[in-house]
Amino acid sequence: MNNDLREKYLRALQTTEGDDPLSRLARASLQASATKFSGLGLLETAQGPGLNFRLADTEHGGLISANDVADFLQRVQRAVARLAKARRARVADVVKLQLLDFEVARLDVAASTPGSVIVDLRPHAQPADEESGELARAGVSWAEIGAVELVRALPEGPEDEESLDSLFSASPVVRRAVSDLIVGLPNPKLDISLAVQRGTGERVTSAISAGQAESLRERLNIFREEREIIRMQGRLDGLRTRRQIFYFETPAGVEIHGFVDESLVNVVKANLDEEVEVALESFVLRSAAGRRSQRRYRLIEVAGQQSQLPPASELDDESAQES
């Protein structure tokens, strides 16, 4: 009986993934019910932290195969472990992953329903080979950090072209993690939804149609050139937190925007509408066909605080070490 109730409760949670007022009200009601009937073991599922992904095959009435689910779960684990390692080691990219990297950011399946899997993001016991760090002491798991970074790099929905565009400016490891997720899918016709429930209560969601995934695959086949670091004084004009996009007004009054990783989001918030010194990684993109883009930017330092993902100009040394 308890298992049946748990499955029904999970399905109800999965219908409230939006950020609109009605979805937030429904989630609050479900969490209140979980608290009232604490003996049924629903409260931990309601409060997270956890990552939920759902898949639907558009050509088979939404039904998906077990192989597709298993393959995608492995892809999510690889992407999360890669992003977590980059933040732990403070490097621009991670080419190879070791067994320890998967263990430190391990995803444990907490529950599953047809077409959907929920994984636990609570901190695990720290492996003996892993040095303790500030994030571990704060009770935030590396799995949660990697999962949030991954979901924020993806579009919120079919109309979110700005997030697709911002991927051009993301750090190399973010682009590689998105590749882990969508490049070489055995079934390229999948619609994908992901939702992260953070320990703080924040909820971050993403939805990728099969068409958007194809567009992302094309955008990842891009080369960067003319890279340089620019320092300037100006005004932080805005921040799109969930999609990690910053807006900056230069001394000439021109607004530029680009990607800011999770480690700098709080310092950007603290300096909004303020004159501040920043460091930007600037680069031009070139497609395989030779087409060049307008100049792109990634924020790597704000008011003396540096990103935990250094500029890609440091990428060559890191890649050489891991190869």
Side-chain angles (χ1 to χ4, degrees), residues 104-115:
V104 170
R106 192 179 74 207
L107 303 180
D108 290 327
V109 175
S112 63
T113 59

Side-chain angles (χ1 to χ4, degrees), residues 36-54:
K36 183 176 181 181
F37 301 103
S38 57
L40 298 178
L42 303 178
L43 187 58
E44 291 186 354
T45 301
Q47 293 181 336
L51 168 66
N52 174 25
F53 72 79
R54 291 190 294 167

Side-chain angles (χ1 to χ4, degrees), residues 137-151:
R137 289 197 299 271
V140 179
S141 72
W142 288 112
E144 179 180 341
I145 289 166
V148 170
E149 197 91 39
L150 176 64
V151 176

Side-chain angles (χ1 to χ4, degrees), residues 6-226:
R6 179 182 175 85
E7 293 298 322
K8 290 179 181 178
Y9 185 79
L10 289 171
R11 286 196 290 272
L13 269 180
Q14 292 160 8
T15 65
T16 65
E17 293 180 353
D19 197 40
D20 57 280
L22 287 179
S23 294
R24 291 196 297 268
L25 181 62
R27 285 199 298 275
S29 177
L30 287 168
Q31 290 173 355
S33 299
T35 303
K36 183 176 181 181
F37 301 103
S38 57
L40 298 178
L42 303 178
L43 187 58
E44 291 186 354
T45 301
Q47 293 181 336
L51 168 66
N52 174 25
F53 72 79
R54 291 190 294 167
L55 306 173
D57 188 335
T58 55
E59 293 191 348
H60 292 86
L63 297 176
I64 60 169
S65 72
N67 287 339
D68 286 338
V69 175
D71 172 77
F72 196 76
L73 180 57
Q74 290 180 331
R75 289 170 175 272
V76 172
Q77 175 66 89
R78 177 169 290 275
V80 167
R82 193 182 301 280
L83 290 166
K85 181 174 183 178
R87 290 286 295 277
R88 283 164 37 229
R90 296 174 181 261
V91 293
D93 197 8
V94 172
V95 179
K96 292 184 178 180
L97 290 167
Q98 308 297 329
L99 288 177
L100 177 64
D101 302 320
F102 289 103
E103 183 62 24
V104 170
R106 192 179 74 207
L107 303 180
D108 290 327
V109 175
S112 63
T113 59
S116 178
V117 173
I118 296 177
V119 295
D120 183 22
L121 298 178
R122 292 178 179 82
H124 296 103
Q126 194 143 310
D129 295 338
E130 176 72 5
E131 295 181 2
S132 62
E134 180 181 347
L135 293 167
R137 289 197 299 271
V140 179
S141 72
W142 288 112
E144 179 180 341
I145 289 166
V148 170
E149 197 91 39
L150 176 64
V151 176
R152 279 190 170 155
L154 299 168
E156 290 182 278
E159 308 302 321
D160 189 10
E161 285 295 321
E162 195 171 3
S163 287
L164 290 176
D165 186 63
S166 75
L167 187 62
F168 282 134
S169 305
S171 62
V173 71
V174 170
R175 293 165 58 82
R176 198 181 294 273
V178 174
S179 295
D180 286 336
L181 201 68
I182 62 171
V183 172
L185 281 171
N187 182 357
K189 302 298 183 182
L190 293 178
D191 288 341
I192 302 165
S193 299
L194 300 104
V196 177
Q197 178 73 36
R198 306 198 70 176
T200 60
E202 180 188 9
R203 193 172 179 84
V204 186
T205 62
S206 179
I208 316 166
S209 68
Q212 282 179 310
E214 179 59 32
S215 177
L216 279 171
R217 284 189 282 270
E218 293 175 0
R219 294 172 191 231
L220 289 168
N221 189 25
I222 295 290
F223 304 95
R224 298 187 182 199
E225 56 186 24
E226 298 183 17

